[in-house]
Amino acid sequence: MAYTKADLKHDLAAMGLTGTETILIHSSMKSIGPVEGGADTVLDAWMEFFAEGLLLLPTHTWRFINEENRVFDVRRSPCCVGILPELFRQRPGVLRSLHPTHSMAAYGKGAAAYLEGELDANTPCTPGGCYDRLRAAHGKVLLLGVTHARNTFIHSVEEVLNVPNRLTDKPMQMTVVDEAGAQHNVYMRRHYNAQQPHISEDFVKLEQAYLDCGAARNTKFGDASCILCDAEGLFRVTRHVLAPNPEAFVTEPVIPPERWQGLCTGKTGG
């Protein structure tokens, strides 16, 4: 049996979501299982359910925007993070930010205001930018069929905390083409660490910490195992653990529970 749109909307409600949230969804279409109508039905379910909220999907291009290709066209540049974001960004009413490597697409209340200012960003997840402002919006992060290794919000926490050895020393000049076709020269530093080329793979070291402290909880969407997170809670737990060792993700093979147990007396709620 394939999942219907009604089934998928029911799963969102079963998570305790109301549809009024600001929510960022990182997703794996394959993990959901068979769906009547495929990816378009999944997007229909999300956009209808969050019609009174703000639905956000990452539309990153970091895999394609590099030394050989320095032009990001907000209208045409494909994203590198899956079929759902790629189809979502092309839908009527969906807006996309002007960040050349870590753009975000938005649909719903306040979408334009939420995405503004990204042309001035000079790092992947600049403090005060689209990812960081999830905290101020009391936003949620839904990891749908993926782990914290795909949780871009944690990159924004590292940038706010000024964790060392996360970015290239020198920025790269890029060109951003906006919706009207106008070109803008920008300068962007990229993610870089000499020891670990894929820093986000180490974010899973805090999976249990987020669960124990109430910043995240496990749930389901179709066949997909999901983690529903509270952005403020993720920030609080990550800051608490990284404070004594800002490079813990890279330098510590395992982060022991005693590093966060003292924080869990005041749970944040997922």
Side-chain angles (χ1 to χ4, degrees), residues 146-165:
V146 298
T147 69
H148 287 287
R150 299 294 176 265
N151 193 346
T152 305
F153 176 77
I154 301 176
H155 279 302
S156 76
V157 178
E158 290 190 312
E159 290 203 30
V160 169
L161 299 179
N162 201 25
V163 173
N165 303 313

